[in-house]
Amino acid sequence: MQRSTRTIEDYALIGDQQTAALVSRTGSVDWLCLPRFDSAACFAALLGDENHGHWHVAPRHGGTCTRRAYRPDTLVLDSEWDTPGGSVRLTDFMPQRDRAPDVVRIIEGLDGKVTMRSTLRLRFDYGSIVPWMRRTNGHRVAIAGPDSVWLRSQPPVHTWGKDFATYSEFTVEAGEKVALVLTWHPSHKPRPRLIDPFDALESSVADWRAWAAQCRYHGPHREAVVRSLITLKALTYAPTGGIVAAPTTSLPETPGGVRNWDYRYSWLRDSTLTLQALLSVGYHEEAEAWRDWLLRAVAGDPADLQIMYGLSGERRLPEYELPWLPGFQGSAPVRIGNAAVNQLQLDVYGEVIDSLTLARSAGMPIRPHMWRVQVALMEFLRSVWKQPDEGMWEVRGGRRHFVYSKVMAWVAADRAARALEGYPGLEGDLEGWRVMRDEVHREVCERGYDPERNTFTQYYGSRALDASLLLIPRVGFLPPDDPRVIGTVEAVRAELAPDGFMRRYSTENTNVDPLPGREGTFVVCSFWLADALHFIGRSNEARELFERLVGICNDVGLLAEEYDPATGRLLGNFPQAFSHLGLVGTALALFGGEGAG
């Protein structure tokens, strides 16, 4: 395989709501972490080459599939090849997990006769460990340390080992089917119960379609909205309700660059947008699970609140590098963990309080101590909101008085005060929070606003701009028709989105962002621009931008973190929950009145 020609948009996602795999157009599973999203990968070719682990299934002579698509309203992927000898379909999916994760690959002859080949190279611990392989009861078993993976076929096919890989080859004619099943379990435990792959396919299709049918949105681009919701469901860690930002690490913001981060964790910043999207389209169970994960994660001393947590609320996410992996298209270093977990980002206090306020107003069941958590967070924020912080983009250039962080401190005080006003039985310092709300608002308008250019700025005293300023009207800090809001939208658009796609901020300001290189346009920020245009009365422009953004989804409807308009390529970790949340949120903002209910 030619790594240099592979692009991020070449991949499709399959998963079982505890982990996920990326499947290429050539039929290769190039990324899979078992048993969880944040476990070490057993297929890491995505960040190197096939010697770092992959599972390739395709016609014997290889090549890119002729066509591929998800079965409607599912996470079941069909890839088809037309060859001189006939046509064949490969169906990839991961069934809802019982005890063990399974990857199922079903090959079905469609026409003529096609010889298929499977090449399995298991490499545990991100491609660094070659397992010991053995045969047992018709299975191929790979074992190394804590990991054990079993490969079987139904019906049995010719399989052999060579060059530290396992090969299978077989021929299918029209109507014939062969299933290959890969199952992981801890190496010290007995083999788990075997699934029937064909029954599992029927169940998976039925389960996904039943879930998708609950979506209450029926407006324009419903297919893209449903695909985004399915992707969000697939990125949810079912045992806890936490949602990972992406199932990958170190997919680059610039090919060949160093802006490569691990996104297999849950960010508090996404919480309000997540709840709003799920509640608006009818997924109350998922919204409640996310709210409960949030409450568990933030429990403890408010001074220790983090910007992100592990899938179960883990706090320690140490960052280190994997020198044996060259990175996607040579983008090194490959990082595991995320050092930004230690940053002070004051906006997350506003996000958490806003989310819990939204949950209460939506009628979600009240949890013990939920209000006490908000009061504790609010009181701590009142003592620290005047401090500088690292800002929402996790820049590594030192602390500043970022305007968006202060705006979200205002959100926290506003929501807390409104809660006391709306629910008199709650206890709290209503007058004190009102005073803080007014003080924050006054300071932001005085120190974070540039009257000469009629725009808010990235941080106090700066001339730089930031895409987060587009959220000022959405959180209610100022009304959309305020001249300062309109001026900010126009200035941010002109400076950071000259081609219509929004950058987070200018990377030329090395005082804020000292890392070398540039990054692509940030997909969710482009959706924020569409929202902001709609808020200030430019709905036609907003809809035009939304159409362009839907158009950058790859052929199976997935979005990465970033996009490069010059090359038309997706960049960054993939698929990105924040990007898909942006798509759902903007669709609801633009068409919710006619399409949801």
Side-chain angles (χ1 to χ4, degrees):
M1 291 184 291
Q2 298 295 318
R3 291 291 133 191
S4 60
T5 61
R6 191 63 54 81
T7 62
I8 290 171
E9 60 268 19
D10 283 333
Y11 288 94
L13 177 79
I14 59 173
D16 65 359
Q17 297 171 55
Q18 295 191 45
T19 191
L22 293 186
V23 186
S24 77
R25 297 177 194 267
T26 64
S28 183
V29 179
D30 285 350
W31 182 255
L32 175 62
C33 301
L34 291 172
R36 305 190 344 164
F37 291 106
D38 57 354
S39 300
C42 63
F43 299 139
L46 180 72
L47 301 178
D49 59 35
E50 57 265 20
N51 292 314
H52 296 109
H54 76 128
W55 185 13
H56 185 235
V57 176
R60 181 170 54 190
H61 298 297
T64 301
C65 65
T66 308
R67 55 194 164 270
R68 66 174 182 173
Y70 287 114
R71 296 194 183 181
D73 292 350
T74 77
L75 200 67
V76 175
L77 178 69
D78 287 327
S79 304
E80 298 180 0
W81 283 261
D82 294 333
T83 75
S87 299
V88 66
R89 176 188 297 130
L90 170 64
T91 299
D92 288 319
F93 68 102
M94 294 185 70
Q96 292 280 356
R97 191 179 302 189
D98 180 13
R99 285 188 300 164
D102 297 288
V103 179
V104 180
R105 317 195 74 181
I106 296 176
I107 301 92
E108 178 181 2
L110 301 178
D111 181 65
K113 182 184 297 186
V114 181
T115 299
M116 300 291 294
R117 173 170 285 193
S118 165
T119 303
L120 174 67
R121 286 187 177 88
L122 282 161
R123 300 291 185 266
F124 296 128
D125 193 28
Y126 300 104
S128 67
I129 298 175
V130 179
W132 172 58
M133 301 289 296
R134 62 184 174 87
R135 285 180 180 268
T136 179
N137 297 325
H139 293 69
R140 289 279 180 164
V141 184
I143 294 177
D147 298 295
S148 178
V149 170
W150 295 60
L151 173 68
R152 64 186 174 94
S153 63
Q154 186 175 327
V157 298
H158 176 50
T159 301
W160 71 98
K162 180 182 177 182
D163 299 330
F164 302 105
T166 300
Y167 297 88
S168 302
E169 192 165 289
F170 51 93
T171 299
V172 290
E173 299 183 11
E176 292 183 339
K177 296 181 181 179
V178 173
L180 303 175
V181 183
L182 194 73
T183 304
W184 178 95
H185 71 95
S187 58
H188 66 281
K189 291 187 176 181
R191 185 198 69 190
R193 180 180 63 86
L194 301 179
I195 65 167
D196 182 299
F198 303 106
D199 288 347
L201 174 59
E202 292 185 10
S203 297
S204 292
V205 170
D207 289 346
W208 277 112
R209 287 179 174 164
W211 186 84
Q214 300 174 44
C215 177
R216 297 194 313 220
Y217 177 82
H218 297 283
H221 294 290
R222 184 180 190 276
E223 183 177 348
V225 170
V226 171
R227 177 54 51 199
S228 291
L229 291 167
I230 288 174
T231 303
L232 293 170
K233 180 71 169 175
L235 298 180
T236 301
Y237 185 62
T240 66
I243 301 175
V244 295
T248 56
T249 180
S250 300
L251 288 180
E253 297 176 6
T254 303
V258 300
R259 297 172 181 269
N260 316 314
W261 315 108
D262 193 346
Y263 275 18
R264 297 172 299 159
Y265 309 111
S266 297
W267 266 253
L268 299 189
R269 180 168 302 110
D270 306 355
S271 56
T272 301
L273 186 58
T274 301
L275 279 176
Q276 287 175 335
L278 293 173
L279 290 170
S280 296
V281 295
Y283 290 104
H284 289 257
E285 181 178 338
E286 286 74 14
E288 187 174 334
W290 169 252
R291 190 276 312 269
D292 290 347
W293 174 88
L294 182 66
L295 277 171
R296 294 191 300 271
V298 304
D301 188 339
D304 297 329
L305 187 70
Q306 299 181 176
I307 65 170
M308 72 183 85
Y309 294 85
L311 305 177
S312 301
E314 298 91 344
R315 291 172 176 259
R316 297 189 184 276
L317 310 174
E319 183 178 304
Y320 58 96
E321 298 176 3
L322 304 182
W324 62 86
L325 285 175
F328 185 88
Q329 295 185 356
S331 305
V334 170
R335 294 182 173 94
I336 304 300
N338 201 311
V341 71
N342 298 314
Q343 290 188 349
L344 173 65
Q345 296 183 20
L346 295 174
D347 65 289
V348 298
Y349 290 87
E351 287 285 358
V352 172
I353 291 173
D354 194 22
S355 297
L356 296 179
T357 300
L358 173 63
R360 180 184 295 275
S361 64
M364 293 173 64
I366 303 300
R367 294 289 185 254
H369 312 305
M370 190 169 80
W371 177 246
R372 288 176 58 190
V373 167
Q374 294 175 78
V375 171
L377 293 174
M378 188 62 233
E379 288 305 305
F380 177 76
L381 180 61
R382 182 158 61 168
S383 70
V384 301
W385 74 266
K386 293 184 179 181
Q387 296 181 15
D389 73 339
E390 272 94 357
M392 74 176 297
W393 299 128
E394 298 154 24
V395 292
R396 303 191 179 191
R399 295 182 179 182
R400 282 170 174 70
H401 291 285
F402 286 99
V403 169
Y404 181 72
S405 297
K406 308 300 186 186
V407 167
M408 291 308 295
W410 175 88
V411 167
D414 177 71
R415 304 309 191 258
R418 288 174 181 267
L420 288 180
E421 292 165 354
Y423 301 92
L426 299 176
E427 295 182 0
D429 184 4
L430 176 58
E431 189 55 37
W433 295 344
R434 284 172 172 166
V435 169
M436 174 185 162
R437 177 176 62 185
D438 293 343
E439 186 179 359
V440 176
H441 198 281
R442 182 169 54 253
E443 181 179 291
V444 170
C445 291
E446 291 176 355
R447 301 182 62 190
Y449 174 71
D450 182 348
E452 179 183 332
R453 293 184 295 156
N454 187 30
T455 182
F456 287 94
T457 60
Q458 186 180 39
Y459 56 91
Y460 291 173
S462 168
R463 290 185 61 82
L465 302 181
D466 193 294
S468 62
L469 302 171
L470 296 170
L471 300 175
I472 286 175
R474 185 161 79 182
V475 300
F477 184 82
L478 287 172
D481 60 356
D482 189 293
R484 292 167 293 181
V485 169
I486 297 172
T488 299
V489 174
E490 291 175 340
V492 170
R493 183 187 193 185
E495 182 169 312
L496 298 180
D499 49 14
F501 296 99
M502 178 66 60
R503 288 168 172 76
R504 295 186 294 177
Y505 52 85
S506 173
T507 54
E508 296 176 1
N509 185 356
T510 56
N511 291 327
V512 172
D513 185 350
L515 290 177
R518 297 171 58 85
E519 62 179 20
T521 61
F522 216 69
V523 174
V524 74
C525 295
S526 299
F527 283 115
W528 292 350
L529 176 58
D531 294 340
L533 290 170
H534 177 61
F535 289 149
I536 67 174
R538 300 181 184 177
S539 296
N540 288 337
E541 295 175 56
R543 294 185 184 213
E544 290 174 4
L545 177 55
F546 181 75
E547 295 282 347
R548 293 183 66 191
L549 291 168
V550 171
I552 69 172
C553 294
N554 76 348
D555 61 309
V556 291
L558 301 180
L559 288 165
E561 177 187 26
E562 299 183 9
Y563 175 71
D564 182 0
T567 62
R569 297 300 188 193
L570 296 176
L571 299 171
N573 284 302
F574 172 86
Q576 180 82 359
F578 217 4
S579 299
H580 285 283
L581 282 168
L583 189 153
V584 174
T586 302
L588 290 168
L590 295 177
F591 312 112
E594 60 191 85

